Amino acid sequence: MVSVLNIEQIKYKSNELKQWIVDIRRDLHKTPELAMNEVITKGKIKKYLDEIGIEYKEFNDNYGIMAYIIKSNAKKTIAIRADIDALPIEEKNDVEYKSLNKGIMHACGHDAHTAILLGACKILYEIRDSLNINIKFLFQPAEENIGGAKYMIQNKCLENPKVDYIFGLHVQPYLETSFIECKYDTLNASANGCKIRIKGKRAHGAYPNNGVDSLIASSQLILALQNIVSREIEPSNISVITLGKINGGEAQNIICEEVKIEGTIRALTIKDREFILNRVYDMVENISKAHRCIGHIDIDQNWYPPVINNNYLVDIVKENTRKLLGKDNFLLKEYPSMGGEDFSFYTDKCKGVFFHLGCGNKDKNIISPLHTANFNIDEGCLTTGVMMHVINTLYFN
């Protein structure tokens, strides 16, 4: 029987796998796929799971995979999640493992997340005989688009046996490699896309009285919507309404008949989110009406709730970081991120923690932000991520 790993053994085994994990990350990086199209990615994950020898489950309605270790004497069930999809971005990095798929890139580090989870899976499967916990390894699709976590949950990934605790990580280039960042309570905001349509009446610009100008109504609406956050939400509660796209008009001398506006709505609490949405509906309808237009709004139903960390698990991440990397390598995040993250669907169902893994390296000029064409990682972060997943899981053994 293999004994449960101590700190030095975790470090040794993780570093022993470094080249294997790097090769996996680069293999995945070459063939990025968009949400709900992760066919090749899934095939590669299956290949590596077969190499490990672990059992896994596939699903009919998505390209997610769940590998698992189930023990008859298990006291707890721990889940670890990695997302596997990529972004519609043309890669500009000049590297040997550059994306082969035009216009698609792993610009958010999901290739790294997947490689890290496979590394943790390999180590934990090797010591399966000494475990008295169940472990589920969730390779989740569609984080960037429709919230693939919902599909995994619908497919009972948190049930049979029921998951007690779930861990997830995300690489962050603003953090140097070997640093871990986490936050108590709310880590990420809720995120909602919205589309607004303002309909007026077309007329010649020389005779505006014959038309109904949707541009004027839209201008008033855009300005008024910003007052919701600045004047109607408690100042200590961070919220965001960003309208990033507007389209309307035919010519310089034609009264605009229709304007389309697209944006995003973010809030740190469900209460503020619901209040903001209700006010947006009111303003779209009534400001349009005041200008003799018809206003309509569609709120994206694929919205993400806030990510709320369980503070007990934050303490575990903090303690384990200090054991592995030193007390100065844990950073407590002061303010939540307004970015959306579908890990929130898991933390809605069970106790979970999401933490950030430093992947930046100024000396190597690895500093480009997430979701950019030059994003890359210092691959030294991969073994750090593996160590964190292993030690966090074994905390419950």
Side-chain angles (χ1 to χ4, degrees):
M1 178 178 288
V2 182
S3 62
V4 176
L5 304 177
N6 60 35
I7 297 295
E8 293 308 314
Q9 289 171 323
I10 291 173
K11 290 181 178 179
Y12 177 80
K13 282 187 169 291
S14 298
N15 284 310
E16 194 176 37
L17 288 180
K18 181 176 181 179
Q19 193 56 55
W20 187 74
I21 303 165
V22 167
D23 289 344
I24 290 175
R25 182 258 166 168
R26 294 184 176 188
D27 182 28
L28 294 169
H29 192 88
K30 288 180 181 178
T31 56
E33 296 168 296
L34 299 179
M36 300 304 282
N37 289 284
E38 305 97 334
V39 181
I40 295 172
T41 303
K42 177 182 176 179
K44 290 183 176 183
I45 294 169
K46 287 173 61 179
K47 179 187 74 172
Y48 293 119
L49 291 174
D50 288 336
E51 184 179 328
I52 292 168
I54 193 170
E55 292 183 274
Y56 56 85
K57 181 179 180 180
E58 302 175 63
F59 306 105
N60 294 326
D61 58 352
N62 67 84
Y63 293 105
I65 306 173
M66 182 180 75
Y68 52 89
I69 300 170
I70 303 298
K71 306 289 290 186
S72 60
N73 62 333
K75 299 175 182 177
K76 299 285 184 183
T77 299
I78 312 302
I80 321 172
R81 173 269 207 170
D83 34 18
I84 68 174
D85 57 324
L87 287 161
I89 294 174
E90 182 72 25
E91 182 166 15
K92 292 184 178 179
N93 292 317
D94 185 18
V95 291
E96 60 178 314
Y97 50 89
K98 183 176 180 178
S99 171
L100 300 175
N101 295 340
K102 187 172 178 59
I104 306 176
M105 176 191 174
H106 270 298
C108 201
H110 295 185
D111 53 337
H113 302 168
T114 304
I116 288 168
L117 186 54
L118 284 164
C121 182
K122 186 173 177 66
I123 291 174
L124 290 166
Y125 186 70
E126 285 176 358
I127 62 166
R128 62 193 180 278
D129 291 339
S130 63
L131 297 177
N132 57 19
I133 53 174
N134 299 319
I135 309 173
K136 296 182 178 182
F137 305 88
L138 308 181
F139 298 88
Q140 178 215 299
E143 189 279 328
E144 295 288 0
N145 190 314
I146 59 174
K150 291 182 295 186
Y151 290 91
M152 299 291 282
I153 293 168
Q154 288 167 10
N155 284 304
K156 308 297 183 183
C157 75
L158 299 181
E159 306 295 333
N160 306 316
K162 184 175 178 60
V163 171
D164 295 289
Y165 305 111
I166 186 167
F167 291 85
L169 63 75
H170 203 299
V171 292
Q172 289 290 359
Y174 65 77
L175 296 172
E176 287 284 300
T177 295
S178 80
F179 282 85
I180 300 295
E181 179 185 66
C182 199
K183 185 184 178 302
Y184 292 109
D185 302 311
T186 304
L187 177 67
N188 290 79
S190 66
N192 255 116
C194 68
K195 295 181 180 180
I196 300 169
R197 188 171 72 252
I198 309 297
K199 185 71 180 294
K201 181 182 177 183
R202 187 177 183 274
H204 195 285
Y207 311 103
N209 55 298
N210 292 333
V212 178
D213 198 335
S214 61
L215 276 178
I216 297 294
S218 299
S219 300
Q220 295 290 328
L221 176 63
I222 289 169
L223 292 173
L225 288 175
Q226 298 306 313
N227 289 333
I228 298 174
V229 171
S230 67
R231 289 296 177 266
E232 300 185 43
I233 296 294
E234 186 177 331
S236 60
N237 292 359
I238 305 171
S239 302
V240 172
I241 298 176
T242 295
L243 303 173
K245 183 177 180 181
I246 181 168
N247 190 297
E250 301 174 55
Q252 64 181 15
N253 62 341
I254 300 295
I255 298 297
C256 179
E257 183 171 19
E258 185 174 78
V259 173
K260 295 178 181 179
I261 306 167
E262 296 183 28
T264 183
I265 298 168
R266 317 244 167 168
L268 296 181
T269 69
I270 296 297
K271 180 181 177 182
D272 282 347
R273 171 188 175 267
E274 291 176 351
F275 176 83
I276 291 170
L277 290 181
N278 286 332
R279 292 294 291 127
V280 171
Y281 276 112
D282 288 344
M283 288 187 173
V284 169
E285 179 182 355
N286 292 311
I287 290 175
S288 300
K289 189 175 181 180
H291 290 272
R292 298 185 297 131
C293 292
I294 298 172
H296 179 79
I297 181 168
D298 285 320
I299 299 294
D300 188 355
Q301 296 305 304
N302 292 314
W303 67 283
Y304 296 177
V307 175
I308 302 175
N309 279 338
N310 177 271
N311 290 345
Y312 167 61
L313 297 181
V314 174
D315 283 336
I316 291 172
V317 171
K318 181 179 180 180
E319 178 184 341
N320 287 334
T321 300
R322 291 177 171 180
K323 286 180 180 178
L324 280 173
L325 306 172
K327 65 179 183 179
D328 294 334
N329 288 60
F330 179 83
L331 303 174
L332 190 62
K333 189 173 176 63
E334 186 174 4
Y335 299 107
S337 166
M338 299 310 292
E341 166 59 59
D342 80 347
F343 191 78
S344 56
F345 290 106
Y346 300 113
T347 59
D348 262 2
K349 300 294 183 182
C350 70
K351 295 175 181 178
V353 63
F354 199 65
F355 61 93
H356 296 153
L357 173 69
C359 70
N361 190 318
K362 293 178 182 176
D363 293 336
K364 296 180 181 179
N365 199 35
I366 300 175
I367 56 175
S368 294
L370 299 170
H371 290 219
T372 63
N374 292 113
F375 170 76
N376 205 348
I377 66 165
D378 178 356
E379 291 175 325
C381 77
L382 298 173
T383 50
T384 303
V386 172
M387 288 190 287
M388 287 300 299
H389 276 336
V390 171
I391 194 172
N392 287 335
T393 302
L394 292 182
Y395 182 90
F396 299 95
N397 195 58

